[in-house]
Structure formats: structure tokens, C-alpha cells
Amino acid sequence: MVSAIPLALGDLPANPFTVIRSGIRWLVRNGDACRAGDVIASSRIGLVPQGRGGSLTGTSFAEERYDLHVALVVSQAGRLQQRDGLSLGGDFDNQHDSQRPWDPATVIGTLTVGDDTGDAPVLRPVLLAGRRTTDLAEDRKTLLSGWHDRARAWHGGTTGHATLLSLGICEQNGMVRGERQAFLELLRDSAGPLHAVYVADEGLVPSAPVLLSQLSRTPRDAEAIAADLMRDLPRRTTPGAADYFFIGTALSALGRSPITDRLDILTSDGVAKAPAANTILLSLHAETPVVLRHRRLGYFANWHKFRVQAAGQATRDWLRSAFEVVRRTPDDIRDDYRALAAAVRERTGARLLVMNSVSTSAREDITSYASFDGPLHASLASVRAKELNLMLGELAAEGTLDVLDADAVAAELGAGLHIPDGVHQSGRMQHELRAELLHHLERSRVYDRAPVARADSVRAGSRNPL
């Protein structure tokens, strides 16, 4: 029997605040067929204290107040019929504080379906938030567009979230954030209520010694780092715009520890603190052969070489004079992982999940290793990757951490086609790695309630309702 189900916004509790919203921005055309799990529309939201006017500042979501979104997801397949007048166009669909209240009874359209599921809500919210690297990074084109040093998303209308913290490099971006960069695939297929956090690596590469330094850093330590840099930098080449962009981003990252962040989320009970990360997803590619150690203050730092090359001469002079290069063997990296795992376990109880390296290269055609000086891992990336992967396997066997086996996925799909440079992946490979990640979360029992999706349905890439 064909039914036209009204799509009401539904409850979005935010106690002790009131939700205000922008106009509705449609992401699916009027009359289009939708699949279960599709995002059909979105709205920017703001929070104001109940009984008072003005925008929210200095409290929950203050760092993300300009980029707080609700994505509206249909839990059934059907054909969408939009209601007119909800998208006002222009800046009205882009302003988070347009003072239009969130009314749960507002119907934004209908979904024509073959089988009515009864009273179950058909429109479900996904919440998204982005912390801008700088407030000058203004970009409101779509969901979570712009330059964010931290982006996150979670299931609305529920409680008992697990928290996944991604501290990798660019290889994790598409896997965790998905094709639209809005975490939609990850949340769609999650077996329980999930809060997913992605911290970008532009400001700092999250190598194990760098993360350990951040964990132990106090606010006074962060002030000392900033003061030391400000004293040191002007003595050298006059900084330019590229220097200030790099240094400002680096200082922001050095002053924080994402592992210990406790972030606010909107749940069915209102504003609540998300649990500390249950799982911290790292990347073996972040464990570079060298890291930097500050000569005077002793903290560790690491930046991608291409980022440093793009910075100004003043930045490069500062890095050369203020830091010493620390070279790392696979044994050193093993020790760093053990130390980090122990420190994280003590501080938050989280477990490390490390994404390994692809150990075969479509570009390598070496027929003899006789001409290479030992140790081979110092001169051949493929040998280093194999040794590091073996080291990770040993750490997993002793229970120190878990491994997300990108190497096995690449071997099954074909590394030359799906990850030719060893880092950047095809959409197919990202999909398979995302499925492996979701399997790991389900097996680890990080959710506070029973799974709502079978593991084999995720492996098959089904579109489970959010």
C-alpha cells in the first residue's frame, strides 16, 4: 500500500538552551527517489540560553558556533515531495543565528513509500560541528565546508554514544569523513550511536612522541612554547604571511591535546558531554623516520615536509635553529607506541587502533638489493613498511594495540590500482577500510546499547537507517 508520510523536523533537545535554525537547504531535488540513509536536507543551527536572547558564547559549542549543522536523514526509501517556503535562499539558508526557532512539528515535506512503518520517526538528525582553524576561514557552501582543525559528527536523538577519535594523516580523511566530508557513510553504517571526531594534520603530524608531548603538556607549558617562539622568530628573517599562517596553526595545535578533549554533543536528553574516546585511530604513516625535538623546552613536534617547504623562510630558519632532528628506527617507534598506549590507557582508558602501511609498491622494480647499504629500512620505503608492519603485528600480539590492516585490503583489491602511491586511496578502498573500522568498533563492544545492524550487512555495504 502506497503511503505519503509527513516529514516533521522532530525533537532536538538542547537543555538548557533553545535551538534556532537557518532556512532549510535541500540536498535532494523535489520528486527524486531517496534511499534509506540518504541525507535530504540540512540546516545550520545556533543555541541560545533559554529565556534570554543573543547568541551562545563562552559555553557549550562556543568554538564551533559558526559551523554547527543538522543533517536530516530519511530512514526509509521513498519519493520526496518538498514543502515550499522553507528555503528562503541567499544568506537566510546560511546563518546559524537567524532567530528562527526549531519547531519539532514543522513538516518539511512528504515521503511516498510502499510500506508504512507506523509511528517510527522517518526523519532523523545527524549533528555536525567544525572548529575553524581561524575565524577568518569563512566558507558556508555546504555541510562542514571550510578549513577546520577539528570536525565531528554524531547521531542525534539518542544516548549512549561511543567516541571514535581519528588522529591520522590524509589517508584517513576520506575513510572517516566520507565522500561529502560529513561523516555520513560512517554514521549510516555504524552498529550503534557513534560520535566521530577527525583532527586534521596541517598544524601538527600526530606521531606517537608528539601525542605523548601533548598529553603531558600543561597550560603553563603551552604559554612557554608560545613565548619562546615569539622571542625567537623576530631575530631571524622577517616573517611573511606564509610564516604567520604556518606558525599560528602550529601554535594552536601545540597548545592542545585532542586525546583528553571532552566535547559537548546534543542527545535525546539535551546537551551532554560525549564520553572520552573509546578508540583512537592512528596511522603508521605518521611515524616518520625523523621527528623534531625542541632544543630548550624538550617537546616533540612533526610537520609534513611539503608544509614546511610551503612556509616562509623565517619558519624554516626557526625550525633549523630551535629544533634538533631525532632519527627513529622501527625499534624506537615500537617503544614510542608502547609508551603512548600506556599513557592513554592511564589517562582515558582508550585503546589504540593503528592503520598499517601498504608494504608493496606498484612503482618498485628492484631485482637485487646488493647495491643498497644496510639497514635497508633506512633507504627503501617498501622494506621499512614491511618491518614496521611486522612490528605492529608484534605489538598487537602482546595486547598493546590493535591493527587496522590496510596492507591486506590493498593486496586484495590491487595496490597499483587503488593506492598507487602507498597513501592516497580510491573510493573503493576507503569503503572497504571503513567497513573494517566499523567491524572493529562492533567487536570491541564500545557502544552502550545492543547493535542495530548486523556485521554482514555492513560488509555488504547496505544502507542501514541512521
Side-chain angles (χ1 to χ4, degrees):
M1 180 177 177
V2 176
S3 303
I5 302 175
L7 300 175
L9 287 179
D11 289 329
L12 194 63
N15 300 323
F17 305 105
T18 297
V19 178
I20 54 177
R21 67 172 177 85
S22 68
I24 299 295
R25 172 173 281 186
W26 293 104
L27 301 176
V28 173
R29 294 177 301 182
N30 193 29
D32 275 2
C34 304
R35 298 168 294 181
D38 277 354
V39 177
I40 64 168
S42 68
S43 176
R44 289 179 178 269
I45 62 170
L47 305 180
V48 295
Q50 291 179 357
R52 292 164 49 194
S55 297
L56 174 68
T57 56
T59 54
S60 301
F61 302 103
E63 293 181 324
E64 301 157 320
R65 62 188 181 276
Y66 296 125
D67 293 303
L68 191 56
H69 308 253
V70 178
L72 299 170
V73 180
V74 289
S75 61
Q76 279 187 264
R79 192 166 296 278
L80 174 67
Q81 186 64 46
Q82 299 173 0
R83 177 187 163 193
D84 293 333
L86 294 171
S87 174
L88 302 180
D91 282 343
F92 281 79
D93 289 351
N94 284 325
Q95 299 303 313
H96 66 285
D97 56 355
S98 60
Q99 302 296 325
R100 185 180 286 104
W102 183 277
D103 182 358
T106 299
V107 174
I108 66 170
T110 59
L111 190 70
T112 302
V113 301
D115 294 306
D116 193 341
T117 57
D119 296 330
V122 177
L123 204 58
R124 298 180 180 177
V126 166
L127 281 298
L128 306 101
R131 182 179 65 194
R132 296 180 181 179
T133 304
T134 167
D135 280 346
L136 299 177
E138 178 80 24
D139 186 349
R140 295 173 178 259
K141 289 192 293 291
T142 185
L143 291 171
L144 284 183
S145 58
W147 185 19
H148 299 113
D149 62 9
R150 184 187 69 210
R152 57 195 184 105
W154 64 95
H155 292 101
T158 187
T159 58
H161 294 75
T163 296
L164 168 71
L165 174 60
S166 172
L167 295 176
I169 60 173
C170 53
E171 62 182 329
Q172 290 185 15
N173 185 26
M175 181 184 75
V176 174
R177 296 189 60 172
E179 294 294 334
R180 289 191 180 182
Q181 294 289 291
F183 303 89
L184 301 177
E185 296 90 342
L186 188 70
L187 268 62
R188 180 193 66 206
D189 292 334
S190 173
L194 182 63
H195 172 226
V197 184
Y198 178 86
V199 176
D201 65 345
E202 291 96 346
L204 206 56
V205 174
S207 308
V210 174
L211 295 173
L212 273 168
S213 288
Q214 289 176 298
L215 265 177
S216 62
R217 188 165 297 138
T218 67
R220 181 171 294 182
D221 293 333
E223 292 173 3
I225 290 173
D228 181 82
L229 195 158
M230 290 299 101
R231 284 193 303 267
D232 198 39
L233 190 64
R235 299 176 185 174
R236 293 168 177 80
T237 308
T238 302
D243 294 297
Y244 285 119
F245 273 119
F246 182 97
I247 290 165
T249 305
L251 276 178
S252 180
L254 287 167
R256 297 183 170 117
S257 175
I259 290 174
T260 54
D261 275 347
R262 291 295 304 277
L263 304 174
D264 288 313
I265 57 175
L266 293 183
T267 73
S268 56
D269 296 329
V271 177
K273 287 289 182 187
N278 310 86
T279 302
I280 300 175
L281 179 62
L282 304 177
S283 170
L284 189 54
H285 283 295
E287 306 306 324
T288 49
V290 299
V291 293
L292 301 178
R293 182 168 53 208
H294 195 271
R295 298 180 189 277
R296 195 169 71 84
L297 300 179
Y299 66 88
F300 284 92
N302 195 10
W303 292 277
H304 291 300
K305 184 180 295 185
F306 72 92
R307 302 281 184 204
V308 174
Q309 291 171 344
Q313 186 61 48
T315 297
R316 293 191 288 274
D317 289 345
W318 168 62
L319 293 177
R320 276 193 292 268
S321 62
F323 292 86
E324 60 180 341
V325 172
V326 178
R327 301 192 180 278
R328 308 165 74 207
T329 67
D331 287 342
D332 295 326
I333 295 171
R334 175 191 289 110
D335 293 341
D336 288 337
Y337 272 137
R338 283 180 176 145
L340 178 62
V344 169
R345 186 165 55 248
E346 179 181 353
R347 291 290 297 273
T348 71
R351 189 161 177 85
L352 304 184
L353 174 63
V354 183
M355 191 170 165
N356 67 9
S357 298
V358 174
S359 62
T360 56
S361 173
R363 300 174 179 177
E364 187 174 281
D365 58 356
I366 298 172
T367 57
S368 172
Y369 293 99
S371 61
F372 295 93
D373 295 330
L376 289 177
H377 67 248
S379 54
L380 290 174
S382 61
V383 174
R384 182 175 184 274
K386 289 178 174 65
E387 291 190 16
L388 289 176
N389 283 355
L390 287 172
M391 176 270 294
L392 275 187
E394 293 168 1
L395 290 177
E398 70 185 33
T400 299
L401 48 74
D402 299 312
V403 176
L404 185 64
D405 200 346
D407 196 29
V409 173
E412 182 177 348
L413 296 180
L417 180 61
H418 292 281
I419 186 167
D421 64 357
V423 178
H424 300 96
Q425 309 151 4
S426 69
R428 171 74 186 282
M429 184 162 178
Q430 288 178 354
H431 169 80
E432 294 296 330
L433 285 171
R434 190 183 304 120
E436 292 297 327
L437 171 61
L438 289 167
H439 272 300
H440 174 82
L441 295 179
E442 188 170 2
R443 289 193 304 267
S444 301
R445 301 184 181 276
V446 297
Y447 304 106
D448 283 358
R449 67 179 188 183
V452 297
R454 287 175 30 225
D456 56 352
S457 68
V458 176
R459 287 286 297 178
S462 68
R463 305 182 65 85
N464 300 313
L466 283 163

